[in-house]
Amino acid sequence: MGGSLLTATATTTPSGTAPAPDAAAPTPAQAAEQALTSGAIGASPLREDAAAKAMGVYPYAADLWAEGLLWGALARSPYAHARIVSLDTRPALAVPGVYAVLTAEDLPTGPDGAPNGAPTGPVVADRPVLAAEVVRHHGEPFAAVAADHPDTARLAAAAILVEWEPLPPLTDPEQAFQAPPLHPDGNVFRQLPIRFGDPEVVGEIVVEGMYQVGRQDPAPIGAEAGLAVPRPDGGVELHVASTDPHGDRDRAASCLGIEPDRVRLVVSGVPGATADRDDIGFQATLALLAIRTGHPVKMALTREESFLTHAHRHPTLLRYRHHADAEGRLVKVEAQILLDGGAYADVSSEALASAAAMAAGPYVVPHVFVDAWAVRTNNPPAGRMRGEGALQVCFAYESQLDRLATTLDLSPLEIRRRNVMATGDLLPTGQAVTCPAPVRELLDAVADEPLPPLPVDQPDAEWLLPEGPGGAGDPAAVRRGIGYAVGMVHMLGIEGADEVATASVRVTGSQASVICAAVDPGTGFATLAKQIVQEILGVDEVYIAPVDTDQPAAGPSARGRQTWVAGGAVERAALMVRQQLLQPLAARFAMSPELLSIKDGRITSYDGVLGMPVLEALEGKDLWATAQCRPHPTEPLDPETGQGDAFVSIGFCAMRAVVDVDIELGTVRVVEVTAAQDVGRALNPRQIAARVEAGVTQGLGLALMEELAVGDGRVLAPNFVGYRLPTALDAPDIRVAALIEDRDVVAPFGAKAVGAASAVVAPSAIASAVRAATGMVVTRLPIRPEDAAVG
C-alpha cells in the first residue's frame, strides 16, 4: 500500500502497524483518554468550542446586542423576474419608529452616474446590493429599513409601494442560450471544453446516460445575522458570521463607496457554513443602515429569507457516453455538462472548471472530451457548497460505471478496480497527479470491511423498515442493496488563485498565542492551530485570538484551504519561534539547533547532555514571529482545450453503502455507509471522523430527500417543512474503515483537507446501492419513490 492505514477501531503507531503487546502499554480506555487530552499532532483533543456549543451558550451573530440598537429589515421581490416601474418609500417612512428607508439610489452610482445597485460578487461583480431597475430572482432585495423594533422594520418594509412589470422568467437552463439576455453580461457565465486524446477513438462497449442533480440548500443551523456599529470617521464596524473577513470587508467598502480601512469586520460565531455566508449584499446593506442612522443596527433573517437569499448547490444536467474495451478498461469518456447558476455569477466559473476537469473521475482514461457550460437563469442563486462541480460529475461518472459493469457482467467493485488512477497518471486537463492517489487502497479498505447483518440473522433485533417505525410497508417487499463509489475533489483555489495566509505566534512565559484571520466555521481549525503550536513548541497553554480585519489576511474558509494554507502559516511561525528559543541553548553547548528536540514539554539534545523543561527555557522571554504560507502556483485552463495545471492537490474518497428498499413503495433506508479517505496525514483523527460523518449525512440528504422546490423561479416552500433534512432516524451507521496516510510532500505536515470528499461521494454510493437493490437505472438526485419502486 502507498501509506499507513489508520482504522477506526485499532490503536496504531505512526507507521500504521499495531504495537507489540507490552505489560506497560496503556489500556484502550487509557489510550482514548490520552488522545482526548494530548495536544500533539495525531491526537484528538476536544474542540475548543465543543462544550459551549453542546450546552447552547456559544455566542453566535444572532446573539449580538448594543446600546441604542435599531433593527434592519429588507424588502424583497415577490417575482422571479420583474421590472421596477416605480417605488414609493413614503408609506414606510410614515410608520412610527422607522429611522431610515434605503434603496439603490442611496448607494454609489455606476460609471454613467445612474443608480445600479452597487453590484458585487466573490468573482464577478454582477449582483446588486439592492435591485435598481430589475429583479432577477425571487426574494431579491430592493429596499432596506431601520426601525426601533424588528416587527416595525418588517412592517415598514412591507408598506413600501412598488409598481411591478412582471417579466417572463427564464427557468430552463437549456433555453438560456437562445433566450434574451437577463443581464448586460449575457446568459452564459462560462463555456469550457476539455480536449484530451483522439476524438475518433471508439470503444468496443459503449454506454450512455443522462443525469440530473437537484438544488440542495446548505441549510445552516443559524440563519444570516449581524450587527453594524457606525464609527466617528464615517466608517462602520461589522460584526457578522463571515468566512472571508478581508474579502467581505473590501467588497462591502466598495459597495459603500468608502476606503477599506474605514470598515472593520469582526467575525462573530459562525453557525456552520458551506455556502450561505457569501452574500455581501446583506453585510453592505447592514453597514449602510448603520452609517445613515448613526445607530448600531442589527439584522437577523428569518428562515424563509435565508432560503431566498443565500446560494444553493448548482442544479446540473449531465449527458455521458463511456467507451470501454471488452475487459472493461475505459477507452474514452464524452460528456456535456450544464450548470444552472441562477441569477448571478457567484462562483459558477470555478464550479464549472471543477466539474469539467474532473468529469472522468479518479480513473485512467486516455481520451476525454467534455463540453461544459454555466448559465444564468431566473432561478435561485447557486454558489459554493461542499464539492461544487465535483459532486455533480461524480454522480454521473459513477452511474456510468455501474451501467458498464452491468453490460459486461462485472461486479461494480471490479469495474472500478480495473480503471482506478494512481500517482503519476494524467487528468483530462493534462496535469499530472503528483500528489498521493491511493484510490485502489481506498476501494480495498471499504470492500474488506464486514457487511451489516441481515434481519434474518438477527431475528430478535428490531428491524427498521425503509418507511420508518410504524410504516405501512410489507417486510416481504424489502430488498437489500450494496453499492460502491469513488470520487475526488480539488484542494484550495484553482486556475491561478493566489492562495496565501499569514499567521503570528507569540510565546510569553508559559503561554503561547496565535493570531491568524482564518475563520473556523465548524471545521475545527482553531483546535488544529493549537495542536500545531503545542507540537512544535511544547507549550500546553495556547490562546487563539478572535478573528477581525485588523489582522493580516488569511483568505476564505472554503475548499478545505485553512488546514493547508493557514495551518502552514501557523506551522512556519511556530518553527521560527522554536529557532529563537533553541538557538541560544545550542550556542551555549556548541551544537546546532537541529540537534535539539522538543517533546513532552522538554528540550533534549541528541546525546542526552542537555535536558530541561520548555517552560524553564522560556522563563523571562518574549518570542514572536510572523510567517506566510503560499502553495505553489496554478494556471488557468486553456479556453480552447481545457489544458493546464489548474489544481494544487487532489483528495480522494471511497465508500460502500448498504440500503434497504421497499420495492413496492419506493422508500429507502440507508443501513450503513463505510468510508475510506485519503488524508495525507491524520492531524486530528477524531475531527476527521466527524467531518467524514458530516459529509456522509449531507450527501445522504441530497441522495434521498433534499431538494429546494421551485416553480416558475419561485421558491415554493422556503422552510424546514417543505425542505426535508435527514434526522437522527435517517442517519445510518457510519464506519470510517481507513484514513490512509500517504503524505503529500508539498502540504504542511503532509495533510490534506477532508471536508468535501465524503459529501461528494456519498450520494453516488447510495444511488449505486439503490440500483443494486432494485435493478432500476436511477438517473437523478434526490432519488424519488418512483425511481426506486419496481413494477
Side-chain angles (χ1 to χ4, degrees), residues 259-419:
E259 300 80 11
D261 60 7
R262 291 170 61 192
V263 178
R264 179 173 182 250
L265 193 150
V266 179
V267 177
S268 299
V270 181
T274 58
D276 49 288
R277 307 300 165 189
D278 289 341
D279 182 9
I280 308 304
F282 170 84
Q283 301 171 10
T285 306
L286 184 63
L288 185 58
L289 287 171
I291 292 173
R292 282 298 180 90
T293 63
H295 286 260
V297 178
K298 178 177 178 177
M299 188 149 42
L301 300 190
T302 64
R303 181 59 64 178
E304 177 179 348
E305 289 181 295
S306 183
F307 270 107
L308 296 180
T309 191
H310 61 229
H312 313 88
R313 189 178 300 283
H314 289 80
T316 307
L317 297 173
L318 309 104
R319 295 179 176 91
Y320 265 75
R321 181 183 295 128
H322 274 58
H323 300 248
D325 63 20
E327 301 299 318
R329 291 180 176 82
L330 294 173
V331 174
K332 184 168 73 170
V333 170
E334 300 171 278
Q336 292 180 331
I337 302 167
L338 180 59
L339 271 61
D340 180 354
Y344 298 109
D346 207 272
V347 295
S348 290
S349 178
E350 181 179 311
L352 187 77
S354 175
M358 300 186 179
Y363 301 109
V364 177
V365 187
H367 310 281
V368 179
F369 294 86
V370 178
D371 288 292
W373 301 268
V375 297
R376 189 190 307 271
T377 66
N378 293 120
N379 290 321
R384 183 172 288 126
M385 276 193 72
R386 278 178 176 158
E388 60 266 16
L391 181 148
Q392 291 92 325
V393 295
C394 181
F395 172 60
Y397 63 65
E398 288 300 271
S399 299
Q400 287 286 98
L401 265 289
D402 282 349
R403 283 182 187 257
L404 196 58
T406 300
T407 302
L408 292 167
D409 197 25
L410 293 172
S411 73
L413 188 61
E414 180 58 27
I415 194 70
R416 289 167 171 81
R417 281 174 168 158
R418 292 187 184 186
N419 290 286

Side-chain angles (χ1 to χ4, degrees), residues 59-193:
Y60 292 108
D63 302 317
L64 297 171
W65 194 262
E67 190 68 30
L69 184 74
L70 299 179
W71 291 83
L74 294 167
R76 300 181 180 274
S77 167
Y79 298 98
H81 193 201
R83 181 172 287 108
I84 301 174
V85 178
S86 65
L87 194 155
D88 186 357
T89 62
R90 288 174 297 179
L93 287 167
V95 175
V98 170
Y99 280 68
V101 180
L102 306 179
T103 66
E105 293 185 352
D106 298 290
L107 292 164
T109 58
D112 60 357
N116 65 353
T120 185
V123 179
V124 178
D126 69 340
R127 183 174 183 173
V129 172
L130 295 172
E133 296 178 351
V134 177
V135 291
R136 297 183 177 91
H137 72 87
H138 178 212
E140 182 169 3
F142 60 86
V145 176
D148 58 6
H149 190 278
D151 291 342
T152 303
R154 294 192 179 101
L155 178 65
I160 297 173
L161 296 178
V162 187
E163 181 183 349
W164 299 100
E165 179 189 345
L167 300 173
L170 171 60
T171 59
D172 183 350
E174 294 186 282
Q175 299 299 318
F177 303 97
Q178 292 82 32
L182 302 175
H183 188 278
D185 292 347
N187 291 346
V188 178
F189 295 129
R190 186 179 187 183
Q191 177 181 359
L192 180 63

Side-chain angles (χ1 to χ4, degrees), residues 34-52:
Q34 291 171 6
L36 291 177
T37 57
S38 170
I41 292 296
S44 296
L46 281 173
R47 287 179 45 149
E48 292 293 294
D49 55 3

